[in-house]
Each structure stands twice: as C-alpha cells, then as structure tokens.
Amino acid sequence: MNTFRTFQLRNLEDTPGFETMSEHQRMVTRVVGSVLPFKTNNYVCEQLIDWNNVPEDPMFQLTFPQEEMLDPAHFARIADLLNAGASREQVKAAAREIQLSLNPHPAGQVEMNAGYLEEEVVAGVQHKYRETVLFFPTQGQTCHAYCTYCFRWPQFVQLDDLKFASKEIDRLVSYLRLHPTVSDVLFTGGDPMIMRTELIRSYVEPLLDDALEINTIRFGTKAPAYWPYKFTDGEEADDLLRLFEQIVASGRHLAIMAHYSHPVELSTDVAQQALRRIIETGAVVRCQAPLIRHVNDSATAWAEMITTEVKLGAVPYYMFVERDTGAKRYFEVPLVEAYQIYTDAYKQVSGLARTWRGPSMSATPGKVLVDGIVEVAGEKVMALKFVQARNPDWVNKLFFAAYDEQASWLDELRPAFGEEKFFYIDELNNMKVDTAERVQLITTRAA
Ligand SMILES: *Cc1c(COP(=O)(O)O)cnc(C)c1O
Ligand code: SF4
C-alpha cells in the first residue's frame, strides 16, 4: 500500500526534493504559499517532478508557487512580514487582504450559474447548459495536490461566501426531477475522487433511479494524474472500480473526465495501470486540461500527451484557455498563441486524437472556441464558435472578432467588420437582468 502524504508550508522541510531547492525557492514557496494555496504530495514529488530541472520543470511549476504569481508589491509585503518574524495572525490578515483583491469569479457568474429550486438557490448545484448539471459535493472540495493556477482557490482557503458546496443529494434529486432536460450529472470540486468510495457511492446511487432519466454520470478528476493509487491500491480502489462497473451495468455512460496537464503524468507505471483499470470497468476516460504558460505551452507536449492518451485507450476532449484567476498574468497564453499551439499539435496526431477540441474558453455566455484565424474581405479576423451556450440556439454558430494578438479572453475581443457588439450580447444582458431580479426576489423573501 502506498501511503498518501501531503506537503504544505507547515511541513515544507519534509518535502521530497526540498534539499535540492535553493534558499530563494524555499523563500518564494513560503511567501506565495501564504497567499495562494499550496499542497503537493509524495507521488507528485517522487515520480513526476524532475528535481534536476527545477524551477523550469513543468510539474514543479504546476504544484509549487512561483514568485511572479503575485504582484511585486504583494510579494514584498508578505516577504517583509515573514522576514520580520511577524505572527501567523499578522501574515494571515495581510494574505486575506491580498486574496480579496484577486477576484476569481467574474461578475455575475455565481448567480447566473446557480441552480434554483422553488426560487431558492440549491447549494452545490450549477446549471448553465441545458443538458448538464454540475454538482459539487461538500467533501470533494479539495484535491490530492493543488495546481498553482487554479481558480478554485477560494474554496481551498475557505472564503465561505464564495464556496459552492453541498451535502444535499436530496436537493439535487429534487432539482433533477423538476428539470427533465438534464441528461448528464457532472461531479466536480475540487476533486470528487478525493472522497472515500463509500461516500462517492452515497452520492451516485440516488442518481441511478430510472425515473430521473440520467444517461451520463461524469466525474471531473485529477486523481489519475496526482494520485493514481486511488484506482490501483487495495480494497478502496477495488470498491471504487466496482461502483464504476455498477454505473455502467445500470445502462448509463460513465465518463471519467481526467485532467492531464503534461505527458509526464501518463508516463509512470502506476498512472498507466490506473487508466487501464478504469477503462476495464466500461467507463470512458475523456481527457481535458487548460493551456498553462510554463507548464504545457508547447505543441510538442500536447501532441505527445494526446497521442499517449489514445494509445492507452482514453479520448482527448478539451484544451481550455486559462481563465481569470489570481495569478493569470503568470500563467496566461494569448488566444492567438493558444490557437497556434493547438493547431500545431492537432496537425501532428492521428485522426483518432482529433476528438480534441480547443482552445476553448468557458466564458459567461458559454464555451467559445477559437476556431480559426482567417482573412475575410481584406480584414484579418478570429473565427469564434460556441460549443456550449446559455442559449442552445447559439451553439455551433460562427462569429468573428477583430484579430488581436494580446487578447487572452473573450471579453477582451472586439467584433470584426466594424460591428458594435457580438450577436449574443443583448440576449445575455437580458439574462443578467433576469438573474438579478431573481436574486432580489430571494433576498427580499429571506429578509
Ligand atoms: C464545460 C461545462 C460543462 C460540460 O460541457 P461539455 O461540453 O458537455 O463537456 C457543463 N457545465 C459547465 C458550467 C461547464 O463549464
Ligand atoms: S486538480 Fe483541479 S480543482 Fe484541484 S487544484 Fe488542480 S485544477 Fe484546481
């Protein structure tokens, strides 16, 4: 049995590889790790990070805080406090102020995506696209290690008002009864695969009631990359695989939405064994990850990764664009470059790996692909396309933005051909007004 051990600031000295970190890197870890959540584990440190290649090593970049993640003034403030031997409370208070200045949830998204039941918000439910409900089980709000760029950090540092969570599977079931268009339930987090099998089972079994007409159960998880022993080690793992088999035997599609960021995560024996065991249950493993500067901003890395996924029986799914997070500047890749990386990788792989879509932005109106960069009537433009949308009528519709090498998100793009606004803007604004009215109504009732 492999014992899961985590390393955070309080036991930083015990981290495998700590000895090879420079004084400066240790200091950076302590400073940035005081503001943004830091957690890694023994598997990541012993089998994925190449300590001879630190700090450039992609897995080190993915799990260890880096200096440029904070703005210099914020960095200096925390560094000064630590150097002056400030108390934990003082450091915490300063860190909290900095955290609050980094807004991880774009305005309106929380309210607009919420699930509503009898005009009440259903805790832990997000329902943005007609067919698919996201569910955030309370006990799944953490991960086997933390990705440095991750926008879910408010949940990990327990800013409770930003936290979507729920123990209430009953409420989810009531919600699904009232929304028969929903065919997919996607468990997400954090990482739902941090939960014990028994707990996962207690969340899943109520969804296998035929009256609900759920066709697909999905789990968004990074466990196959950060802790593959979850699927290989001991009785817990065997039970989990039995649960997977049970879902498949119920006649449903089980999709493990595996988050792989770099080909090294697929290279270890245990990672390959984990994938094999999951696939043997009849589950389909679909792979997705954001494009992250310093981690996987290379067509070669992506081509190798999606080729390996196909070789191991998994299905490449999405390449996401990194969205606005506290440390976006350090990790962002402009859309034009993202399109180039995607295209260069896509060209190199077998047709079977071209189930892979991207670069895709999960933006307020929907998932928007940068689908091409072309010249139309003498103007260089970026062709965009919804692959998911708040209004299903927008899906698969092409629209055009003026070419912009700097833009790294949808809201930085301007319409092409001198148009004033994108076609969906008025409708989206109406939806925002509707949401505001609904929230107002709920607030008034509660008062
Ligand atoms: C990505 C996403 C989904 C799932 O979309 P698919 O294209 O079906 O994978 C569902 N809800 C939200 C809010 C999402 O961002
Ligand atoms: S595994 Fe997912 S939720 Fe967890 S830190 Fe990484 S990106 Fe965030």
Side-chain angles (χ1 to χ4, degrees):
M1 282 291 281
N2 291 278
T3 310
F4 179 58
R5 285 188 302 142
T6 62
F7 301 97
Q8 297 179 267
L9 287 193
R10 60 181 158 70
N11 61 349
L12 186 62
E13 295 75 18
D14 305 330
T15 312
F18 179 77
E19 291 310 318
T20 65
M21 282 171 79
S22 67
E23 261 320 306
H24 182 71
Q25 276 159 11
R26 293 171 188 178
M27 188 270 290
V28 166
T29 305
R30 290 196 175 97
V31 171
V32 181
S34 299
V35 179
L36 302 171
F38 162 61
K39 177 166 103 180
T40 186
N41 70 51
N42 49 322
Y43 170 74
V44 170
C45 289
E46 287 164 1
Q47 298 200 49
L48 300 184
I49 293 175
D50 172 3
W51 290 94
N52 295 318
N53 184 30
V54 164
E56 285 78 24
D57 180 77
M59 295 307 296
F60 181 78
Q61 291 281 331
L62 184 59
T63 57
F64 279 77
Q66 306 298 319
E67 184 165 1
E68 295 87 348
M69 284 169 55
L70 287 187
D71 104 17
H74 291 157
F75 188 93
R77 182 169 172 203
I78 301 290
D80 290 348
L81 284 171
L82 291 180
N83 288 335
S87 70
R88 275 177 60 138
E89 283 65 37
Q90 283 174 304
V91 176
K92 252 193 170 157
R96 182 57 51 102
E97 274 180 36
I98 296 171
Q99 287 162 2
L100 290 170
S101 75
L102 309 169
N103 173 24
H105 293 298
Q109 278 268 41
V110 174
E111 291 82 4
M112 284 188 90
N113 295 356
Y116 295 89
L117 193 59
E118 295 149 22
E119 300 301 323
E120 258 178 67
V121 176
V122 186
V125 169
Q126 269 193 47
H127 191 187
K128 182 169 177 181
Y129 308 127
R130 190 172 54 192
E131 291 77 16
T132 305
V133 156
L134 305 191
F135 184 62
F136 298 75
T138 304
Q139 298 93 336
Q141 300 307 305
T142 185
C143 308
H144 291 96
Y146 293 155
C147 307
T148 38
Y149 65 81
C150 178
F151 70 92
R152 305 237 159 107
W153 59 266
Q155 300 173 75
F156 308 149
V157 293
Q158 278 149 11
L159 295 176
D160 286 335
D161 54 341
L162 289 172
K163 185 165 162 175
F164 320 95
S166 174
K167 281 181 197 138
E168 299 177 84
I169 188 73
D170 293 349
R171 304 282 291 163
L172 172 64
V173 169
S174 310
Y175 185 83
L176 295 173
R177 283 212 187 96
L178 288 175
H179 295 83
T181 62
V182 175
S183 57
D184 291 35
V185 174
L186 199 172
F187 286 86
T188 180
D191 189 336
M193 289 292 151
I194 198 96
M195 296 190 287
R196 283 175 300 112
T197 301
E198 189 191 0
L199 205 50
I200 300 175
R201 180 183 294 279
S202 74
Y203 278 114
V204 168
E205 278 182 340
L207 303 180
L208 304 183
D209 174 353
D210 287 334
L212 287 178
E213 299 190 56
I214 299 302
N215 297 337
T216 303
I217 309 274
R218 309 194 210 180
F219 290 98
T221 177
K222 196 158 173 74
Y226 276 167
W227 191 252
Y229 302 110
K230 179 78 184 176
F231 309 96
T232 63
D233 249 28
E235 248 177 73
E236 269 281 312
D238 292 348
D239 281 348
L240 181 59
L241 298 176
R242 254 173 255 141
L243 174 62
F244 288 1
E245 283 167 0
Q246 182 186 336
I247 297 169
V248 174
S250 81
R252 288 173 181 78
H253 182 90
L254 171 61
I256 305 299
M257 313 303 291
H259 174 183
Y260 291 112
S261 309
H262 192 276
V264 72
E265 295 170 333
L266 287 154
S267 68
T268 66
D269 288 344
V270 62
Q272 299 192 0
Q273 193 195 346
L275 249 184
R276 202 158 43 238
R277 295 193 85 197
I278 296 169
I279 292 168
E280 277 167 9
T281 67
V284 175
V285 177
R286 297 180 201 276
C287 307
Q288 54 186 23
L291 170 63
I292 303 292
R293 180 74 75 203
H294 310 290
V295 173
N296 58 15
D297 52 337
S298 134
T300 316
W302 279 97
E304 183 185 340
M305 183 159 73
I306 61 178
T307 299
T308 309
E309 286 163 6
V310 169
K311 183 171 93 179
L312 298 173
V315 183
Y317 192 54
Y318 276 127
M319 178 175 98
F320 292 118
V321 179
E322 157 68 351
R323 76 194 213 182
D324 196 2
T325 67
K328 179 169 161 73
R329 246 166 316 154
Y330 184 67
F331 293 114
E332 79 182 0
V333 178
L335 296 169
V336 167
E337 187 181 342
Y339 175 76
Q340 205 52 58
I341 290 172
Y342 173 83
T343 304
D344 289 347
Y346 192 82
K347 278 186 209 164
Q348 293 177 41
V349 299
S350 145
L352 292 181
R354 292 188 186 152
T355 51
W356 183 51
R357 290 175 299 174
S360 171
M361 292 174 267
S362 291
T364 308
K367 278 191 169 65
V368 177
L369 285 191
V370 179
D371 211 28
I373 292 179
V374 283
E375 210 173 286
V376 179
E379 184 177 340
K380 196 166 185 187
V381 299
M382 299 165 72
L384 307 173
K385 185 167 97 174
F386 280 106
V387 289
Q388 285 289 1
R390 279 186 195 279
N391 178 346
D393 290 342
W394 304 344
V395 170
N396 216 26
K397 198 147 144 173
L398 274 184
F399 60 109
F400 298 91
Y403 181 79
D404 184 337
E405 275 180 17
Q406 261 80 51
S408 61
W409 199 250
L410 183 63
D411 57 11
E412 294 163 27
L413 292 174
R414 297 288 146 249
F417 312 125
E419 308 241 323
E420 206 176 302
K421 54 196 169 189
F422 291 127
F423 76 91
Y424 59 81
I425 291 289
D426 289 339
E427 225 181 311
L428 181 67
N429 285 339
N430 287 340
M431 291 176 185
K432 284 182 184 165
V433 171
D434 288 350
T435 304
E437 281 170 1
R438 191 173 218 172
V439 170
Q440 182 64 40
L441 183 75
I442 293 170
T443 321
T444 317
R445 277 215 209 145

